[in-house]
Short mmCIF file of all heavy atoms in Angstrom, two decimals:
data_model
loop_
_atom_site.label_atom_id
_atom_site.label_comp_id
_atom_site.label_asym_id
_atom_site.label_seq_id
_atom_site.Cartn_x
_atom_site.Cartn_y
_atom_site.Cartn_z
N VAL A 77 -9.05 -0.47 -5.20
CA VAL A 77 -7.72 -0.09 -5.69
C VAL A 77 -7.19 1.17 -5.03
O VAL A 77 -6.03 1.28 -4.69
CB VAL A 77 -7.77 0.13 -7.22
CG1 VAL A 77 -6.45 0.60 -7.77
CG2 VAL A 77 -8.24 -1.13 -7.93
N LEU A 78 -8.07 2.14 -4.83
CA LEU A 78 -7.67 3.48 -4.43
C LEU A 78 -8.68 4.04 -3.44
O LEU A 78 -9.88 3.84 -3.62
CB LEU A 78 -7.65 4.36 -5.69
CG LEU A 78 -7.06 5.74 -5.63
CD1 LEU A 78 -5.54 5.69 -5.51
CD2 LEU A 78 -7.42 6.51 -6.91
N THR A 79 -8.19 4.72 -2.41
CA THR A 79 -9.09 5.44 -1.50
C THR A 79 -8.56 6.86 -1.37
O THR A 79 -7.36 7.11 -1.53
CB THR A 79 -9.17 4.80 -0.11
OG1 THR A 79 -7.90 4.90 0.53
CG2 THR A 79 -9.61 3.36 -0.18
N GLU A 80 -9.46 7.78 -1.07
CA GLU A 80 -9.06 9.17 -0.90
C GLU A 80 -9.90 9.82 0.20
O GLU A 80 -11.11 9.63 0.25
CB GLU A 80 -9.22 9.93 -2.22
CG GLU A 80 -8.40 11.18 -2.28
CD GLU A 80 -8.04 11.58 -3.70
OE1 GLU A 80 -8.57 11.01 -4.68
OE2 GLU A 80 -7.21 12.49 -3.83
N THR A 81 -9.21 10.53 1.07
CA THR A 81 -9.86 11.23 2.16
C THR A 81 -9.49 12.70 2.09
O THR A 81 -8.31 13.03 1.95
CB THR A 81 -9.41 10.66 3.53
OG1 THR A 81 -9.72 9.27 3.56
CG2 THR A 81 -10.13 11.37 4.67
N PHE A 82 -10.50 13.57 2.16
CA PHE A 82 -10.29 15.02 2.18
C PHE A 82 -10.79 15.55 3.52
O PHE A 82 -11.95 15.36 3.86
CB PHE A 82 -11.08 15.70 1.06
CG PHE A 82 -10.70 15.26 -0.32
CD1 PHE A 82 -11.36 14.22 -0.95
CD2 PHE A 82 -9.67 15.89 -0.99
CE1 PHE A 82 -11.02 13.81 -2.22
CE2 PHE A 82 -9.31 15.49 -2.28
CZ PHE A 82 -9.98 14.45 -2.89
N ARG A 83 -9.92 16.19 4.26
CA ARG A 83 -10.30 16.89 5.49
C ARG A 83 -10.31 18.38 5.18
O ARG A 83 -9.37 18.90 4.57
CB ARG A 83 -9.33 16.59 6.62
CG ARG A 83 -9.37 15.15 7.02
CD ARG A 83 -8.76 14.92 8.39
NE ARG A 83 -8.73 13.51 8.69
CZ ARG A 83 -9.75 12.79 9.10
NH1 ARG A 83 -10.92 13.35 9.26
NH2 ARG A 83 -9.64 11.50 9.35
N LEU A 84 -11.36 19.04 5.60
CA LEU A 84 -11.54 20.46 5.32
C LEU A 84 -11.51 21.23 6.62
O LEU A 84 -12.21 20.88 7.57
CB LEU A 84 -12.87 20.69 4.61
CG LEU A 84 -13.15 19.77 3.40
CD1 LEU A 84 -14.58 19.93 2.94
CD2 LEU A 84 -12.19 20.06 2.29
N GLU A 85 -10.70 22.29 6.65
CA GLU A 85 -10.63 23.14 7.84
C GLU A 85 -10.71 24.59 7.40
O GLU A 85 -10.03 24.99 6.45
CB GLU A 85 -9.32 22.92 8.59
CG GLU A 85 -9.18 21.55 9.19
CD GLU A 85 -7.87 21.34 9.92
OE1 GLU A 85 -7.13 22.33 10.14
OE2 GLU A 85 -7.59 20.20 10.30
N GLU A 86 -11.53 25.35 8.11
CA GLU A 86 -11.63 26.77 7.80
C GLU A 86 -10.26 27.41 8.03
O GLU A 86 -9.63 27.21 9.06
CB GLU A 86 -12.68 27.44 8.68
CG GLU A 86 -13.00 28.84 8.22
CD GLU A 86 -14.27 29.38 8.86
OE1 GLU A 86 -14.97 28.62 9.54
OE2 GLU A 86 -14.52 30.58 8.66
N ALA A 87 -9.80 28.14 7.03
CA ALA A 87 -8.48 28.78 7.11
C ALA A 87 -8.59 30.10 7.84
O ALA A 87 -9.63 30.76 7.80
CB ALA A 87 -7.93 29.00 5.70
N ALA A 88 -7.51 30.47 8.50
CA ALA A 88 -7.46 31.77 9.15
C ALA A 88 -7.65 32.83 8.07
O ALA A 88 -7.01 32.78 7.03
CB ALA A 88 -6.12 31.96 9.86
N GLY A 89 -8.52 33.75 8.31
CA GLY A 89 -8.82 34.76 7.29
C GLY A 89 -9.98 34.30 6.44
O GLY A 89 -11.12 34.31 6.86
N ARG A 90 -9.69 33.82 5.25
CA ARG A 90 -10.74 33.40 4.32
C ARG A 90 -10.32 32.13 3.61
O ARG A 90 -9.17 31.96 3.25
CB ARG A 90 -10.97 34.51 3.30
CG ARG A 90 -12.06 34.16 2.30
CD ARG A 90 -12.32 35.33 1.36
NE ARG A 90 -13.35 34.98 0.42
CZ ARG A 90 -13.12 34.50 -0.79
NH1 ARG A 90 -11.90 34.32 -1.22
NH2 ARG A 90 -14.13 34.19 -1.58
N GLY A 91 -11.22 31.24 3.41
CA GLY A 91 -10.94 30.06 2.62
C GLY A 91 -10.95 28.79 3.44
O GLY A 91 -11.36 28.75 4.60
N THR A 92 -10.45 27.74 2.80
CA THR A 92 -10.46 26.41 3.39
C THR A 92 -9.13 25.73 3.12
O THR A 92 -8.64 25.75 1.99
CB THR A 92 -11.58 25.56 2.76
OG1 THR A 92 -12.83 26.23 2.96
CG2 THR A 92 -11.65 24.17 3.35
N ASP A 93 -8.56 25.13 4.14
CA ASP A 93 -7.41 24.27 3.96
C ASP A 93 -7.94 22.87 3.70
O ASP A 93 -8.71 22.33 4.49
CB ASP A 93 -6.50 24.28 5.19
CG ASP A 93 -5.75 25.59 5.35
OD1 ASP A 93 -5.41 26.20 4.32
OD2 ASP A 93 -5.51 26.00 6.49
N VAL A 94 -7.55 22.31 2.56
CA VAL A 94 -7.96 20.96 2.17
C VAL A 94 -6.74 20.06 2.32
O VAL A 94 -5.71 20.29 1.69
CB VAL A 94 -8.46 20.93 0.71
CG1 VAL A 94 -8.85 19.51 0.31
CG2 VAL A 94 -9.61 21.89 0.50
N PHE A 95 -6.87 19.06 3.18
CA PHE A 95 -5.81 18.08 3.39
C PHE A 95 -6.28 16.77 2.80
O PHE A 95 -7.35 16.28 3.15
CB PHE A 95 -5.52 17.92 4.89
CG PHE A 95 -5.11 19.20 5.55
CD1 PHE A 95 -6.03 19.93 6.30
CD2 PHE A 95 -3.83 19.69 5.41
CE1 PHE A 95 -5.67 21.11 6.91
CE2 PHE A 95 -3.45 20.88 6.02
CZ PHE A 95 -4.38 21.60 6.77
N ALA A 96 -5.47 16.21 1.90
CA ALA A 96 -5.86 14.97 1.21
C ALA A 96 -4.89 13.85 1.53
O ALA A 96 -3.68 14.06 1.61
CB ALA A 96 -5.91 15.21 -0.29
N VAL A 97 -5.44 12.66 1.70
CA VAL A 97 -4.66 11.44 1.86
C VAL A 97 -5.18 10.45 0.82
O VAL A 97 -6.38 10.17 0.78
CB VAL A 97 -4.80 10.84 3.28
CG1 VAL A 97 -4.01 9.54 3.38
CG2 VAL A 97 -4.37 11.84 4.33
N VAL A 98 -4.29 9.95 0.00
CA VAL A 98 -4.67 8.97 -1.01
C VAL A 98 -3.87 7.70 -0.76
O VAL A 98 -2.69 7.75 -0.41
CB VAL A 98 -4.47 9.52 -2.45
CG1 VAL A 98 -3.03 9.81 -2.75
CG2 VAL A 98 -5.05 8.59 -3.48
N GLU A 99 -4.55 6.56 -0.88
CA GLU A 99 -3.92 5.26 -0.68
C GLU A 99 -4.14 4.42 -1.93
O GLU A 99 -5.26 4.32 -2.42
CB GLU A 99 -4.51 4.54 0.52
CG GLU A 99 -4.32 5.29 1.82
CD GLU A 99 -4.96 4.60 3.01
OE1 GLU A 99 -4.96 3.34 3.03
OE2 GLU A 99 -5.44 5.30 3.89
N LEU A 100 -3.06 3.84 -2.42
CA LEU A 100 -3.11 3.03 -3.63
C LEU A 100 -2.58 1.63 -3.33
O LEU A 100 -1.51 1.48 -2.76
CB LEU A 100 -2.24 3.67 -4.72
CG LEU A 100 -2.06 2.86 -6.00
CD1 LEU A 100 -3.35 2.80 -6.80
CD2 LEU A 100 -0.94 3.46 -6.85
N ASP A 101 -3.35 0.63 -3.73
CA ASP A 101 -2.88 -0.75 -3.65
C ASP A 101 -2.11 -1.01 -4.94
O ASP A 101 -2.69 -1.32 -5.98
CB ASP A 101 -4.07 -1.70 -3.51
CG ASP A 101 -3.64 -3.15 -3.41
OD1 ASP A 101 -2.44 -3.46 -3.62
OD2 ASP A 101 -4.52 -3.99 -3.14
N GLU A 102 -0.79 -0.83 -4.86
CA GLU A 102 0.04 -0.93 -6.07
C GLU A 102 0.05 -2.33 -6.66
O GLU A 102 0.36 -2.49 -7.85
CB GLU A 102 1.46 -0.42 -5.83
CG GLU A 102 2.33 -1.33 -4.99
CD GLU A 102 2.21 -1.11 -3.49
OE1 GLU A 102 1.21 -0.56 -3.00
OE2 GLU A 102 3.15 -1.51 -2.80
N SER A 103 -0.34 -3.35 -5.91
CA SER A 103 -0.42 -4.69 -6.47
C SER A 103 -1.55 -4.78 -7.50
O SER A 103 -1.54 -5.65 -8.37
CB SER A 103 -0.63 -5.74 -5.38
OG SER A 103 -1.93 -5.64 -4.82
N GLN A 104 -2.54 -3.87 -7.41
CA GLN A 104 -3.66 -3.84 -8.35
C GLN A 104 -3.34 -3.01 -9.60
O GLN A 104 -4.05 -3.10 -10.60
CB GLN A 104 -4.89 -3.22 -7.68
CG GLN A 104 -5.36 -3.95 -6.46
CD GLN A 104 -6.11 -5.21 -6.82
OE1 GLN A 104 -6.77 -5.30 -7.84
NE2 GLN A 104 -6.00 -6.21 -5.97
#
Side-chain angles (χ1 to χ4, degrees):
V77 177
L78 190 72
T79 65
E80 200 153 10
T81 302
F82 299 93
R83 295 198 184 282
L84 311 170
E85 294 180 10
E86 191 166 352
R90 180 176 180 264
T92 302
D93 288 327
V94 179
F95 301 100
V97 178
V98 63
E99 298 178 35
L100 173 70
D101 181 351
E102 73 273 22
S103 70
Q104 301 283 329

